[in-house]
Amino acid sequence: MNTKKNAHSKDENRNSLSADMADAGAIAVKVDDLTVAYNYKPVLWDIDLEIPEGVLMAIVGPNGAGKSTLIKAILGILKPIAGSVTIYGKPYHKQRSHVAYVPQKGSVDWDFPTVALDVVMMGTYGSLGWIKRPGVKEKKAALEALEKVGMLPFKDRQISQLSGGQQQRIFLARALVQDASIYFMDEPFQGVDATTEIAIINILKELRKAGKTVVVVHHDLQTVPEYFDWVTFLNVKKIATGPVKDIFNDDNLTKTYGINYKVSVQK
Amino acid sequence: MNLQEYFSLVFSDYTLRTITLGTAILGAVTGMLGSFAVLRKQSLLGDAISHAALPGIALAFLITGAKDTNTLLIGALVSGLIGTFWIRGIVTKTHLKSDTALGLILSLFFGFGMLLLTFIQKQPNANQAGLDKYLFGQAATLVESDVWLMAIITGICLLVMLLFWKEFKLLLFDPDYTKTLGFNTKFIDVLITSFIVLAIVLGLQTVGVVLMSAMLLAPAAAARQWTNSLGKMVFLASIFGAFSGVFGTAISASQDNLSTGPVIVIVASVFVVFSFVFSPGRGLLFRQIRFIKNRRDLEFQKTLAFMYHIAETHEDISHPHTIKILNNFQGFTRKTLQKLVDKNYVTLDGTMWSLTEEGFETAANLYNQNIKKHE
């Protein structure tokens, strides 16, 4: 629907894949009839969603609305009951190299015995494949990513000795190393200070400028119009999706947060 | 035999050499794999697996009627694997948490195993005696072929670990992310778990069902205290495990009638306690020392700052004040005052104190620094 608007955001440097898909109208991610349930209770119900290429999109909704679940289902971490997901027209498992993921910071144990550089290097593991070890090239890429997020001085720091904001930057750097076309981020602004938040959003905006698609689970409604150009309202069902300037209004906010807000304390 | 005799005999005496080598290799492989179990928060998995192996030993005996170690251990391996994959199944398919699943399988299999053991003991078969040695292990029954088997499996384990090191590390740290990168996490998981089962089964003869999990956890827990690198942790855990095996065997051989398995476990626990207290980064002792030092520094600074505020109100900064005035200030002690005198920040004259030029300047800077920090 809004694909034409984003057609301009292509750059020459893009991989061959998006060139193939140019005719298809540059839909980066397409979700069809997706339904996910934990223990019979639907967490996502019949979601249809098209994410155009080159947008910086926020997924907003109350707690338990299924925002993280949507990302996890798109990335194949969770198995949906029904529905399908395609990335540039093909199933996810064929498009892995074009997708990067930033999980919630709290999803891992930061007391794990490793240093910051090592975590960032993990971003190269996917392209390396089985058994092959990271080499000089991978290390260089990891150092560059650390530089980008301003964490180079901390590269040899044990990860438990980093602050919450620094840990988030490490996760971001790990995704940057993947050098993907589409980035999925699960609450990258959670528990970070104002400085880190600005640093992160600047990186996200740079990614968009380079023609990448960035999808972010976001909690702070205040900053949506400032940070993002695209938004999806989600509360188990999809409420609305589109450009922020068109659909970010009280009507959709009430539909998403209104009556259901109090009953949705489920974790 | 005393310890000295043991160490002079260990290279020449066949039995001692076999047992020592066996327990050392066992300690190394369990320490290595135990690191993975501990980091995956599956510390209790080892306990469940070893207990789950018991009915396998009893059934293998009932079916074959032979007491051959390898046959019994294959039985143990099979029932250990069944128990492990039931645990996995319970966790993935039901609402139950993994600790519940572990406890359930542990007691179910162990209960069934004990039942079979008592049943076997009532059989009129002369061969039946001695199966209960698998409860607490008996290192003295180790023969050269057992040690070879341990060495070969440890070798394979080491090879697989080196080969899949990157994948293991990734899965241990962030399983979801591992999945998105396209690695088959189930395969890696099954690989790690199967090796843990294998290592535990290998140790049943020596350490026994009941104490086996300590072999897995203790070296790893101790090693974690000394390093922040996964590679070093795994290496250290193997070393600690191997040393526990050797020292445990040495102590049990030099003190008659001490059963080897428990002694090995106690030696491993000594490593743990020592590491918890004395490791420089995470140890309790150094943490306490750092805490006390920080508190002293802070008290010292606060006292100096308090004096500075009083001295500030006078034209002559070295105007003497009574010591009693300092009692209004919480955190003031005689010791800190003495320290201030030692550092030449303060001079004492009877019951009066006065700030020196040096002390005043230091305090002024201290104050400015704190102001800056708050801004």
Side-chain angles (χ1 to χ4, degrees):
Chain A
M1 44 184 199
N2 283 290
T3 50
K4 267 177 210 148
K5 173 185 168 284
N6 295 284
H8 70 273
S9 65
K10 269 194 224 99
D11 65 56
E12 302 74 37
N13 209 7
R14 201 82 59 77
N15 45 52
S16 59
L17 162 140
S18 54
D20 298 346
M21 303 313 299
D23 311 329
I27 294 293
V29 183
K30 192 166 188 297
V31 178
D32 281 311
D33 302 330
L34 188 78
T35 299
V36 180
Y38 294 134
N39 309 319
Y40 311 110
K41 193 176 178 203
V43 184
L44 288 176
W45 185 256
D46 201 22
I47 305 284
D48 287 304
L49 182 65
E50 284 183 355
I51 305 174
E53 185 178 51
V55 296
L56 178 48
M57 184 179 98
I59 301 178
V60 298
N63 290 332
K67 303 182 295 291
S68 302
T69 309
L70 177 61
I71 287 190
K72 285 185 178 170
I74 291 174
L75 294 171
I77 298 168
L78 288 172
K79 250 198 192 139
I81 292 181
S84 67
V85 175
T86 53
I87 311 280
Y88 286 118
K90 288 182 198 155
Y92 173 70
H93 65 91
K94 290 195 173 150
Q95 303 282 41
R96 278 203 178 95
S97 58
H98 303 294
V99 180
Y101 174 46
V102 179
Q104 270 186 34
K105 188 164 63 68
S107 66
V108 302
D109 175 12
W110 288 93
D111 196 33
F112 192 82
T114 192
V115 294
L117 177 64
D118 234 20
V119 174
V120 178
M121 293 268 266
M122 288 177 185
T124 66
Y125 287 9
S127 59
L128 283 168
W130 288 94
I131 295 171
K132 219 178 142 204
R133 297 286 182 94
V136 183
K137 197 181 115 206
E138 283 75 20
K139 191 174 175 189
K140 201 173 148 251
L143 289 173
E144 275 169 18
L146 276 167
E147 171 91 79
K148 242 182 243 174
V149 299
M151 287 292 292
L152 200 54
F154 300 93
K155 68 181 167 70
D156 295 321
R157 188 74 76 88
Q158 150 71 17
I159 53 173
S160 65
Q161 280 155 20
L162 298 169
S163 73
Q166 290 173 329
Q167 290 172 346
Q168 192 66 61
R169 289 189 204 203
I170 292 297
F171 259 14
L172 186 62
R174 184 176 71 169
L176 291 177
V177 166
Q178 287 182 256
D179 195 22
S181 316
I182 309 174
Y183 290 81
F184 289 96
M185 308 191 179
D186 204 342
E187 301 203 22
F189 301 114
Q190 194 186 39
V192 305
D193 60 20
T195 328
T196 307
E197 180 154 339
I198 292 165
I200 293 177
I201 194 65
N202 284 339
I203 290 167
L204 301 195
K205 284 180 173 167
E206 257 171 52
L207 285 173
R208 181 186 50 189
K209 232 185 239 167
K212 318 274 188 188
T213 311
V214 184
V215 178
V216 178
V217 170
H218 194 57
H219 256 305
D220 184 8
L221 293 170
Q222 306 284 331
T223 53
V224 169
E226 185 189 336
Y227 290 173
F228 301 95
D229 58 5
W230 212 263
V231 65
T232 294
F233 289 96
L234 188 75
N235 192 353
V236 184
K237 291 176 190 176
K238 185 192 77 181
I239 312 291
T241 183
V244 170
K245 59 177 164 44
D246 297 345
I247 69 156
F248 194 73
N249 51 38
D250 285 351
D251 186 31
N252 281 326
L253 282 168
T254 316
K255 270 191 210 158
T256 312
Y257 289 88
I259 326 161
N260 291 327
Y261 195 69
K262 274 187 184 123
V263 290
S264 56
V265 265
Q266 164 214 6
K267 199 182 168 191
Chain B
M1 178 165 51
N2 59 33
L3 274 177
Q4 227 167 8
E5 280 168 22
Y6 166 82
F7 280 110
S8 60
L9 275 173
V10 73
F11 295 104
S12 53
D13 184 87
Y14 171 82
T15 320
L16 272 186
R17 196 177 54 204
T18 310
I19 297 173
T20 307
L21 259 180
T23 51
I25 293 173
L26 180 72
V29 71
T30 51
M32 184 165 95
L33 289 163
S35 307
F36 295 144
V38 166
L39 288 175
R40 300 189 71 185
K41 316 246 178 310
Q42 287 183 331
S43 304
L44 279 173
L45 184 69
D47 215 15
I49 295 171
S50 63
H51 283 75
L54 190 62
I57 293 172
L59 281 175
F61 174 76
L62 281 174
I63 293 166
T64 63
K67 230 170 50 185
D68 163 50
T69 314
N70 290 343
T71 319
L72 296 184
L73 287 187
I74 286 174
L77 181 66
V78 171
S79 82
L81 282 172
I82 292 174
T84 311
F85 290 99
W86 278 12
I87 291 168
R88 274 175 56 99
I90 291 174
V91 173
T92 50
K93 299 273 189 297
T94 72
H95 300 237
L96 293 177
K97 296 272 178 285
S98 73
D99 59 338
T100 318
L102 288 168
L104 209 62
I105 295 297
L106 182 151
S107 38
L108 180 71
F109 275 64
F110 189 61
F112 184 53
M114 288 306 286
L115 189 125
L116 287 175
L117 277 191
T118 45
F119 173 75
I120 290 168
Q121 267 163 12
K122 297 221 164 73
Q123 297 274 298
N125 181 344
N127 206 6
Q128 37 96 345
L131 270 191
D132 54 345
K133 77 165 194 233
Y134 283 96
L135 281 179
F136 293 104
Q138 200 168 3
T141 59
L142 280 177
V143 291
E144 207 179 312
S145 65
D146 297 330
V147 177
W148 273 114
L149 183 70
M150 282 182 186
I152 290 166
I153 290 182
T154 305
I156 296 172
C157 198
L158 193 67
L159 200 72
V160 169
M161 189 185 72
L162 289 176
L163 213 55
F164 294 107
W165 179 256
K166 173 179 106 232
E167 286 78 9
F168 281 8
K169 183 157 84 174
L170 192 59
L171 184 80
L172 290 176
F173 179 61
D174 195 343
D176 276 358
Y177 187 70
T178 310
K179 224 172 181 177
T180 68
L181 290 183
F183 292 102
N184 186 340
T185 49
K186 214 171 184 179
F187 171 74
I188 310 172
D189 183 27
V190 168
L191 202 63
I192 295 180
T193 313
S194 304
F195 272 110
I196 291 178
V197 177
L198 211 56
I200 285 174
V201 168
L202 277 181
L204 290 182
Q205 189 187 357
T206 318
V207 180
V209 163
V210 180
L211 290 175
M212 194 52 215
S213 72
M215 289 296 289
L216 214 57
L217 305 185
R224 179 68 189 94
Q225 293 295 311
W226 297 94
T227 174
N228 280 326
S229 136
L230 179 63
K232 282 182 194 149
M233 175 179 167
V234 171
F235 178 74
L236 269 182
S238 311
I239 299 288
F240 287 163
F243 271 102
S244 306
V246 173
F247 285 134
T249 311
I251 292 168
S252 93
S254 51
Q255 316 289 323
D256 269 346
N257 297 330
L258 277 187
S259 150
T260 315
V263 177
I264 293 176
V265 168
I266 285 173
V267 173
S269 312
V270 170
F271 274 110
V272 175
V273 173
F274 183 81
S275 305
F276 276 167
V277 177
F278 293 106
S279 79
R282 302 163 71 96
L284 295 175
L285 183 69
F286 286 94
R287 224 191 286 174
Q288 192 60 32
I289 289 173
R290 273 198 301 272
F291 177 74
I292 291 172
K293 192 182 171 301
N294 284 342
R295 201 173 53 184
R296 285 229 180 104
D297 285 354
L298 206 64
E299 266 170 13
F300 175 79
Q301 290 182 0
K302 274 166 88 179
T303 311
L304 189 61
F306 185 74
M307 290 170 156
Y308 172 80
H309 282 305
I310 297 168
E312 220 181 7
T313 57
H314 293 266
E315 251 169 60
D316 174 20
I317 52 151
S318 292
H319 180 85
H321 301 274
T322 168
I323 288 175
K324 273 185 194 150
I325 207 170
L326 295 173
N327 291 338
N328 294 331
F329 167 61
Q330 261 183 345
F332 161 75
T333 57
R334 277 266 158 204
K335 244 189 198 161
T336 40
L337 190 63
Q338 190 53 48
K339 221 166 160 192
L340 286 164
V341 174
D342 291 347
K343 284 215 168 185
N344 216 4
Y345 290 167
V346 172
T347 50
L348 286 185
D349 182 16
T351 58
M352 307 293 270
W353 61 268
S354 53
L355 220 49
T356 63
E357 194 76 39
E358 198 185 345
F360 187 79
E361 256 164 52
T362 313
N365 287 336
L366 204 70
Y367 189 64
N368 290 340
Q369 270 168 18
N370 283 344
I371 291 288
K372 251 185 215 160
K373 249 186 234 166
H374 283 290
E375 264 171 2

